[in-house]
Structures are given as structure tokens and as C-alpha cells.
Amino acid sequence: ANRAMFEAKRDTGTSHRYFSSHFAQAGGRQLQLEAELRDALRKGELELHFQPRVLINGRGVAGVECLLRWNHPVRGRVAPDEFIPAAERSGLIVPIGYWVIEQACMRLREAAVLGYSELVFAVNLSFRQFHDRRMTDTMFRIIYNANIDTRLLELELTESAMMHDPDYAQRCLRELHSLGLSFALDDFGTGFSSLSHLQNLPISLVKIDKSFVQRVESDEDAQHIVSAIISLSHSLRKKVVAEGVETAGQLAFLSALKCDQIQGYYYARPMPWADLLDYLEGPHRIIAARRGGH
Ligand code: C2E
Ligand code: MG
Ligand code: MG
Ligand code: MG
């Protein structure tokens, strides 16, 4: 089926050539990107970076989000927004996604050995990955082999990934939750979701999309939306992370609303593993994640 979809995409790509050279070029680039991405895993060109998630009261780092980077030999570092869509379309996101989980588990174990025994590792799961037929089995196998504290592994899903088939989502999340994993709702506010389904799913955390966060200083509507998301989430007993916090003003606003955690350039950008270890040992050292109680 993946193959068929890939061929179908290829057909669409070629037929465009007759109508518009612009589309033909874009289509050609897409195909080349997909072909190169196919090799990227094997050639070791993929890498995880880690962005700290900081407790709002400044008591330390509660966790890190694992973010995929592609170090392309010619193009340089390719941003995920550029290649994740291609990986989704071609189905490559499935093997890549499992590689990401394996890497995250490996770092999680390393962190535990270093004494960061409460540091949460969050991994993004895209639509196609989540709907892979063998998702829960494969996840189970990876986690079992990695021998990690499953309480510390969190999966980030978007509203659309979960709402496409709420019954399926319910079943998968319950199964994975029974292994100890937890779930975050990513980019909240940008998709469509049914609150009743949200309430029924074992989601412990809501991440407010950065498009709202970055407007709270200038846009009153964004303030109301952020405020509503925080109070709704809290009333459903879910923690809230604000994404994309860049300024002291945004931080002050979120702090006043009792948002639980902050993720953004204001504190730290995504960074390679070695830099993260330096960051954790630096002036921001993570008392909370080391001793527990986040
Ligand atoms: P996301 O899951 O919403 O991740 C947060 C994005 O916001 C990251 O972009 C991060 O670098 C960026 N960000 C964090 N703080 C700030 C800030 O203060 N300002 C700004 N302007 N941006 C900030 P990134 O790393 O480029 O990733 C983009 C998206 O690609 C992610 O959005 C996620 O949807 C996807 N992605 C990344 N890694 C993976 C992966 O391993 N698997 C899958 N399926 N998707 C991934
Ligand atoms: Mg995310
Ligand atoms: Mg997000
Ligand atoms: Mg996003």
C-alpha cells in the first residue's frame, strides 16, 4: 500500500510538468528529497537535538523534547518542517520514527546513569506513525529492549492524529499507557478536537502552540485563547506547557496564569546531546529532574 501511494505521488509529480514548470520543479525536488531521505537513516545523517522544558517557577528542567535534525552532506542542516512532510508522504516516517524512539530511549538511559533520574523525554509521533498497523507492538518491543523507566517517556501527538479515529486512539493510548508511557497533546489550538474525546484519553499534558504564545503581548484575542487553554486544561487535571516562549513579557503573562512549564528560545534552543549535558550542569542545573518532584 505504501508503495502504491508512493507511485501515485510520483504520477502526480510528473503530470504537473505539462502544466507548470514551477510545479514540476517543486515535484522533482520532493522526489529527490524523498530518495535522499531514504538513505539518510542508513548513512547516519539523522540526529536528535534536545530542547529543555523548564518549570515556570524557575526550579529547573522537567524534561526535554527530542527534535529530529538531518545533517545533509550538501544541503547542510535540513529543518524538520522541510523533510517531515516528505517523510510522511513516502511512509519513511515509520522507520525514521522508530529510530527516533530508540535514540530517545538510549539517551534516557544515559541520563539516568548520570543521575537525571526524573528527566522526561518527549518524542513526537506524526499521523502516519501513529496509524502504523504495528505501532503498539513495535513500541512495546523497543521499550522492552531499551530497558528504560517508561514513566519518563512521553509521546507528543497532535489533535488531528488523535481525532482522525478516536476509537483507535483510545485503544492505542490505553495500551501504551499501561506500559507506563504518558501523552502530550501537541500544537494545541491549531487543529480540531472534541473536548469529550480529549477528556476520555489518557493525556497528561497540553502544549499550547507557539502561534498563540508569540502573540500574547500584542493581541488580546491570543491572550484570551491562551488563558482559556490553561484553565480548561487545569480543570481537566492536565499540565500545560507553553511552546515558543521568546520574551520576558510572554513568560510573565504565562507565569501569572500559572502555566506549568515553558519551552522556548527564552531559556534554550534545541541542542545536541553533549550541549544539553553542559546546560544541565550549568547555572540552570536541574535540581528538579535529578531529585524528583516535578
Ligand atoms: P513541534 O513538535 O511543535 O516542536 C516544537 C518546535 O518549535 C521545534 O521546531 C522547536 O525548535 C520550535 N521552537 C521551540 N521554541 C521556540 C521558540 O522560542 N521560537 C521559535 N520560533 N521556535 C521554537 P523544529 O525542531 O523545527 O520541529 C518542527 C516540527 O517538526 C515539530 O514541531 C514536530 O512537529 C516535527 N518534528 C520534529 N522532530 C520530529 C520527530 O522526531 N518525529 C516527528 N514525527 N516529527 C518531528
Ligand atoms: Mg512536539
Ligand atoms: Mg508543538
Ligand atoms: Mg509543530
Side-chain angles (χ1 to χ4, degrees), residues 93-109 123 125 129 132 134-150 153 155 176 179 181:
I93 193 66
V94 176
I96 289 174
Y98 293 134
W99 178 85
V100 169
I101 302 274
E102 278 168 357
Q103 288 291 307
C105 288
M106 186 184 90
R107 296 310 190 190
L108 200 164
R109 249 195 353 255
V123 172
L125 268 202
Q129 281 173 276
D132 174 42
R134 290 190 305 242
M135 196 269 293
T136 48
D137 288 347
T138 310
M139 211 67 106
F140 187 90
R141 183 177 50 74
I142 292 173
I143 288 161
Y144 181 83
N145 288 336
N147 191 26
I148 53 156
D149 181 347
T150 53
L153 185 60
L155 302 181
L176 294 171
L179 301 178
L181 304 200

Side-chain angles (χ1 to χ4, degrees), residues 19-40:
F19 304 110
S20 152
S21 65
H22 171 76
F23 280 153
Q25 274 169 18
R29 261 205 305 280
Q30 277 308 316
L31 282 184
Q32 197 193 337
L33 195 72
E34 285 177 17
E36 291 174 347
L37 194 52
R38 206 171 289 277
D39 292 335

Side-chain angles (χ1 to χ4, degrees), residues 22-63:
H22 171 76
F23 280 153
Q25 274 169 18
R29 261 205 305 280
Q30 277 308 316
L31 282 184
Q32 197 193 337
L33 195 72
E34 285 177 17
E36 291 174 347
L37 194 52
R38 206 171 289 277
D39 292 335
L41 243 186
R42 187 171 51 79
K43 291 185 181 160
E45 293 168 3
L46 298 181
E47 185 188 1
L48 282 191
H49 279 198
F50 304 85
Q51 186 179 29
R53 242 162 53 183
V54 179
L55 291 165
I56 193 102
N57 50 22
R59 277 195 298 115
V61 178

